């Protein structure tokens, strides 16, 4: 053994500091490389998009010859330069790579300018002489539905005879709710680089949540086999769903530019271009009628949901489906009819965003619960508790899945007790009686969020674990890291299986040439899928080593244990590195792959029924707010959260996900307003006009606790997904705002408030309450 290996072999593991995010140190020091930080290959060119200045129109002329004559320009790229299909390889196959005859949204890409530097490319692209005959633009889903403009057929989910059950209800209410979209506003914008290699092969670096889809899209556009395209992603500077499909556009454009110029090309969207080109969270328009009894328990619900999809389908189908699936949230609906319209508008094609349609459905039912409580003069928490799914009864969802792991009631009751909800409710009432201008509101709302891709085939993952002869371990899996700590958790899982310190395990960039056909890192399932696949790969390696150790020490493999860098049998103890070197000498394989497919799930797209989710993640939040009734300004005073993460694999990361998810949800519901004018031009296209939350929006009192129970399903480490569910906890803020608005006038009047609840909307809602305007009821 050489001296270096001897030092490694003789080092005994020392107690480990709390496991930190695998890129934390590099992030703090500013040394974590992103695609824009990579050294450029010699001759690298830069591409910039030429975009439509109108939302809907007929292209009359684009002066590409002018562009070719500009200083620094190397080439222009148009639809004529596409060797493969001119339509992107999306699921519905309805979005052109470049617009040709007509344009369908402001910012739609018409072609590319390729120049020797980024600024030159962008300068020419912005100055391009483009003549488009403007046509009327449809910017709202209600107008689109009136014209029967849909990107996908409408769907219905029905249980019971809703018409009859509504007629027999003791009380009914009806109303509407407009729910705004949301810009992803990831710190790192959309970016990709494309490098031609030998023999028709390609290397693509993409800031993407789905390298496999980028590989597919690039191969489709270039008309080459998938094995000729290698897509690599080490990390993203945020994603939130906005890089699930949308990253594919930039990668395809960069590859087409590189193909034409026969050199590497990098394409980075500036923030303003990113905002104009990429899709957002789907805005929704809701119309509803609910019937309920004297206790507030729902008898029947009729819901009509209009998803604002934009100019193409993208992921609107499954997004709208998940909104339907989460219209129940935590509540049993004995009779329900949901109609979902997927409406085509002349805006950016809206896409995945944290929660994937679930928040738009949950917000609907929570506003209904709040209105029922106000109409009956009951505490909203009591109405919510009365409607919860039961245990052994009232436990079948409208899509025919049984709720088997229900902890809703004990979780909500514990949070109500811990945060002193009843006493604070009385204190808020006392305050509102005494204060004429500043009103307070309080709300406690739950979340029940289904975990799995609703498209069953995506619920699979692969991983590769390699052990080197110095005892170090390298992992590759199909998931991507966007700051959420996936790689850190996977490394911890493998380290635990092999009984090693975390420092002995490292992870590589996600690479389609190592793990093929991987699903997107989305649907909160990144750790469930990739963590379990990596665990199985590590177990396979451990089993091989255990068999070798058993031969060395004359015992059975099951008697061998791996702990603290040692391998222990009844007769012998070796350092892990010593056993590895012995196994290598004996020609024992020191690597293995692992594969995982989520069990139990099944789903019929035609009937919207089955078991689309492996399990549910639960949580609840109690929020207290204050509003200025003269200006509509509001402030979040306190938040208490009790969230179900199962057995946490990394409490610090999980807590960060809960905090971040809640604050992002807070922005969606209070300050982040997207505004398209009557001509379909997006006016909120920068941080000066689009207001994401800041540190000042976080309440001084922000309490988070974990529900103390592991996942009842056989999930990796007993954990539960934590990426998306906390986002919907911020609905408690929206309901607290409506509670405060309702306090302006002491009657049983429901409060009409659309999202986001900007000061202007809050002030308008206060005016309606003062005027006594009421939703229709019976």
């Amino acid at each position: 053994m050489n001296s270096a290996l001897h030092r490694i072999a003789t080092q005994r593991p020392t107690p480990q500091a709390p496991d930190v995010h695998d890129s934390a140190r590099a992030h703090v020091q500013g040394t974590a490389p992103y695609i824009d930080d990579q050294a450029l290959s010699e001759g690298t060119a830069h591409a910039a998009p030429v975009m439509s200045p109108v939302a809907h129109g007929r292209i009359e002329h684009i002066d590409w010859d002018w562009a070719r004559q500009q200083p620094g320009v190397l080439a222009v790229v148009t639809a004529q330069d596409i060797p493969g299909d001119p339509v992107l390889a999306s699921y519905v196959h309805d979005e052109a790579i470049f617009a040709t005859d007509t344009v369908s949204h402001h910012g739609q890409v018409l072609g590319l300018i390729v120049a020797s530097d980024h600024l030159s490319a962008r300068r020419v692209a912005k100055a391009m002489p483009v003549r488009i005959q403007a046509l009327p633009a449809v910017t709202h889903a209600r107008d689109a539905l009136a014209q029967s403009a849909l990107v996908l057929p409408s769907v219905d989910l029905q249980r019971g005879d809703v018409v009859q059950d509504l007629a027999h209800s003791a009380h009914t209410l009806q109303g509407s709710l407009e729910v705004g979209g949301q810009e992803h506003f990831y710190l790192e914008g959309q970016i990709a680089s494309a490098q031609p290699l030998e023999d028709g092969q390609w290397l693509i670096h993409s800031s993407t949540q789905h390298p496999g889809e980028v590989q597919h899209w690039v191969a489709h556009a270039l008309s080459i086999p998938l094995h000729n395209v290698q897509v690599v992603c080490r990390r993203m500077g945020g994603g939130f769903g906005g890089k699930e499909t949308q990253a594919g556009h930039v990668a395809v454009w960069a590859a087409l530019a590189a193909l034409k110029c026969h050199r590497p090309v990098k394409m980075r969207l500036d923030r303003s271009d990113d905002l104009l080109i990429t899709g957002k969270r789907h805005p929704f328009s809701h119309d509803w009628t609910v019937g309920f009894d004297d206790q507030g328990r729902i008898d029947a619900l009729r819901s009509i949901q209009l998803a604002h999809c934009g100019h193409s389908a993208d992921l609107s189908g499954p997004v709208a489906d998940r909104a339907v699936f989460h219209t129940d949230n935590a509540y049993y609906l004995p009779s329900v009819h949901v109609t979902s319209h997927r409406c085509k508008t002349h805006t950016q094609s809206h896409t995945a965003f944290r929660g994937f349609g679930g928040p738009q459905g949950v917000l609907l039912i929570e506003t209904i619960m709040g209105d029922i409580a106000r109409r009956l003069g009951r505490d909203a928490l009591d109405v919510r508790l009365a409607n919860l799914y039961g245990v052994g009864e009232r436990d079948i969802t409208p899509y025919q899945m049984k709720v088997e792991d229900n902890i809703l009631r004990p979780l909500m009751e514990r949070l109500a007790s811990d945060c002193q909800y009843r006493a604070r409710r009385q204190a808020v009432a006392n305050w509102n009686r005494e204060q004429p201008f500043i009103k307070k509101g309080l709300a406690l709302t739950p979340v029940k969020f289904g975990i799995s891709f609703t498209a069953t085939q995506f619920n699979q993952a692969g991983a590769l674990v390699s052990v080197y002869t110095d005892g170090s371990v390298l992992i590759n899996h199909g998931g991507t890291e966007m700051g959420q700590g996936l790689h850190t958790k996977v490394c911890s899982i493998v380290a635990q299986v092999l009984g090693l310190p975390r420092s002995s395990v490292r992870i590589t960039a996600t690479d389609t040439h190592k793990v093929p056909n991987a699903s997107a890192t989305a649907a909160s399932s990144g750790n469930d899928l990739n963590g379990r696949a990596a665990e199985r790969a590590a177990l396979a390696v451990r089993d091989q080593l255990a068999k070798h150790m058993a031969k060395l020490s004359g015992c059975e493999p099951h008697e061998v244990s791996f702990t603290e860098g040692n391998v222990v049998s009844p007769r012998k103890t070796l350092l892990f590195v010593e056993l590895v070197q012995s196994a290598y000498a004996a020609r024992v394989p020191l690597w293995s792959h692992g594969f995982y497919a989520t069990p139990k799930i099944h789903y019929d797209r035609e009937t919207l029924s089955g078991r689309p989710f492996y399990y549910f993640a639960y949580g609840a939040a109690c929020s207290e707010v204050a509003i200025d009734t003269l200006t509509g300004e509001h402030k979040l005073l306190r938040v208490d959260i009790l969230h179900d993460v199962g057995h946490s694999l990394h409490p610090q990361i999980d807590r960060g996900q809960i905090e971040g998810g809640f604050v992002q949800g807070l922005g969606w519901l209070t300050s982040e307003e997207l505004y398209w004018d009557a001509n379909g031009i997006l006016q909120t296209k920068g941080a000066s006009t689009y207001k994401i939350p800041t540190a000042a929006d976080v309440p001084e009192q922000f309490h988070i606790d974990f529900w103390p129970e592991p996942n009842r399903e056989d999930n990796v480490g007993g954990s539960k997904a934590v990426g998306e569910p906390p986002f919907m906890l911020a609905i408690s803020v929206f309901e607290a705002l409506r509670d405060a608005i309702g306090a302006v006038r002491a009657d049983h009047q429901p409060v009409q408030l659309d999202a986001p609840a900007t000061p202007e909307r809050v002030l308008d809602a206060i005016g309606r309450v003062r005027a006594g305007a009421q939703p229709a009821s019976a």
Side-chain angles (χ1 to χ4, degrees), residues 105-219:
H105 77 87
H106 175 224
Q108 186 170 10
V109 175
L110 310 173
L112 308 174
I113 302 297
V114 187
S116 55
D117 64 273
H118 173 75
L119 291 179
S120 294
R122 192 162 186 265
R123 173 181 54 79
V124 175
K126 290 295 182 185
M128 271 294 296
V130 175
R131 188 169 69 249
I132 299 176
Q133 179 189 356
L135 299 172
V138 176
T139 61
H140 198 282
R142 295 189 186 277
D143 297 327
L145 185 61
Q147 299 176 23
S148 299
L150 303 174
V151 297
L152 291 165
S154 302
V155 302
D156 285 89
L157 177 65
Q158 187 167 359
R159 173 168 67 186
D161 188 335
V162 172
V163 173
Q164 179 177 329
D165 293 334
L166 284 172
H168 293 159
S169 292
H171 308 273
T172 62
L173 276 174
Q174 62 185 36
S176 63
L177 175 66
E178 296 292 324
V179 182
Q182 186 177 24
E183 167 60 38
H184 300 87
F185 227 99
Y186 23 63
L187 288 177
E188 177 201 32
Q190 299 282 359
I191 185 171
S193 66
Q195 182 175 356
L197 304 176
E198 62 176 294
D199 197 24
Q201 298 180 76
W202 289 81
L203 174 61
I204 309 292
H205 286 277
S206 174
S207 181
T208 176
Q209 295 174 237
H210 198 177
E213 184 161 64
V214 170
Q215 178 192 39
H216 180 203
W217 283 25
V218 170

Side-chain angles (χ1 to χ4, degrees), residues 450-468:
I451 304 299
S452 289
F453 289 98
T454 52
T456 305
Q457 69 270 22
F458 293 147
N459 294 286
Q460 58 175 299
L464 177 67
V465 171
S466 304
V467 178
Y468 294 93

Side-chain angles (χ1 to χ4, degrees), residues 178-181 666-674 734 753-759 761-762:
E178 296 292 324
V179 182
L666 173 67
W668 171 54
L669 291 170
T670 62
S671 65
E672 297 185 41
E673 183 175 24
L674 293 164
F734 189 79
L753 178 66
D754 294 329
T758 59
R761 286 200 176 98
V762 169

